[in-house]
Amino acid sequence: MGIGTAALLARGTYEALRRTRPGGAGVWDRKNRSGRTVDLCGGPAAVAGTVGAVATASALSGRHRVAGAVAVLVAGGCGAYDDHAGAGDPRRGFRAHVSALRQGEVTSGAVKLLGIGAAGIAAGVVLKERPLDRLLAGVVIAGAAHAVNLLDVRPGRAGAAVLALGTGGMLRGRAAGQVAAGPVGAAAALIADDLGERTMLGDAGAHALGAGLGLAVVAGNGRAGLAFHAAVLTLAAVVADAGNPQSG
């Protein structure tokens, strides 16, 4: 049920946004890395599909569904803010945005990093009982959101990664499988248009899909699993940041 809900919500939102383009083409159209004009409609569509599936995951308690849906919604919202407010900012990576903060400048990237981190921790507080587990859950949720966004550098790459990783998650326990179905369904509904360079996930969609995957990990793992995933995601972020020429 979750995967169908996610796919229907994502596809319906995408088609509605493409037809209406609220705010005009200037709000939605972007040039991708190959110079083709694509729209950002895939981003909010991915958010809607993932949030809808998490919010209706019957294996989760009501408060866990709310916490998960809010975490995905905040991740997508912070990403959408960066998609628009940071469209012309060439700075990338943690160090670049932290450096700007030290100089008194709050970049859209800093808002995104801090907002998604806070949302991950807040969700962890609800989803887990012990302080260390809560912290690890927050790192996993925020780290997964960041990791999927790092992959979103070519058409379809982030979506394909979500499909591969999320399908594996769906084979785990009931709660983890239902949560993983959200990003998988949303990505499946949008990947053809992403690959066809008609739309892009943007930071909004990539972060929402990643946060959904992170929630699935949290739902299906105890402390050892959380610690492993948190370590891998942190290492990936450090390596990516070190290799970014604009992060210094």
Side-chain angles (χ1 to χ4, degrees), residues 131-165:
L132 179 56
D133 295 341
R134 290 171 168 177
L135 176 62
L136 290 171
V139 172
V140 168
I141 294 167
H146 180 63
V148 172
N149 190 53
L150 288 175
L151 294 172
D152 192 29
V153 294
R154 294 288 184 275
R157 182 174 294 184
V162 169
L163 289 175
L165 295 171

Side-chain angles (χ1 to χ4, degrees), residues 60 64 124 127-130 132-138 140-141 144 165-166 168-177 179-180 212-233:
L60 298 178
H64 288 180
L127 295 167
K128 296 296 181 180
E129 296 181 358
R130 298 179 181 274
L132 179 56
D133 295 341
R134 290 171 168 177
L135 176 62
L136 290 171
V140 168
I141 294 167
L165 295 171
M170 289 176 64
L171 300 177
R172 293 181 60 83
R174 186 163 173 250
V179 175
L213 290 181
L215 283 166
V217 171
V218 172
N221 285 272
R223 181 171 297 177
L226 290 176
F228 172 76
H229 283 88
V232 170
L233 289 166

Side-chain angles (χ1 to χ4, degrees), residues 2-240:
I3 192 169
T5 298
L8 286 171
L9 282 171
R11 194 68 204 179
T13 302
Y14 175 65
E15 295 295 346
L17 288 175
R18 289 200 75 191
R19 286 195 305 270
T20 60
R21 300 289 184 98
V27 173
W28 297 99
D29 288 350
R30 293 290 186 275
K31 293 285 187 181
N32 66 7
R33 292 173 184 266
S34 61
R36 295 188 62 176
T37 299
V38 299
D39 62 53
L40 286 170
C41 300
V47 177
T50 306
V51 168
V54 172
T56 57
S58 60
L60 298 178
S61 68
R63 63 195 297 264
H64 288 180
R65 289 197 298 270
V66 171
V70 169
V72 173
L73 189 60
V74 171
C78 289
Y81 175 72
D82 196 33
D83 282 333
H84 294 282
D89 191 344
R91 289 170 292 190
R92 297 291 184 271
F94 291 109
R95 285 184 293 166
H97 295 297
V98 170
S99 177
L101 277 175
R102 288 173 178 167
Q103 297 172 26
E105 181 186 1
V106 181
T107 64
S108 61
V111 170
K112 178 180 68 175
L113 295 172
L114 294 172
I116 295 174
I121 294 295
V125 168
V126 176
L127 295 167
K128 296 296 181 180
E129 296 181 358
R130 298 179 181 274
L132 179 56
D133 295 341
R134 290 171 168 177
L135 176 62
L136 290 171
V139 172
V140 168
I141 294 167
H146 180 63
V148 172
N149 190 53
L150 288 175
L151 294 172
D152 192 29
V153 294
R154 294 288 184 275
R157 182 174 294 184
V162 169
L163 289 175
L165 295 171
T167 300
M170 289 176 64
L171 300 177
R172 293 181 60 83
R174 186 163 173 250
Q178 286 187 6
V179 175
V184 169
L190 300 168
I191 194 167
D193 291 275
D194 193 357
L195 285 168
E197 298 186 71
R198 292 180 289 276
T199 193
M200 62 189 298
L201 294 173
D203 281 15
H207 280 100
L209 293 174
L213 290 181
L215 283 166
V217 171
V218 172
N221 285 272
R223 181 171 297 177
L226 290 176
F228 172 76
H229 283 88
V232 170
L233 289 166
T234 300
L235 179 61
V238 170
V239 171

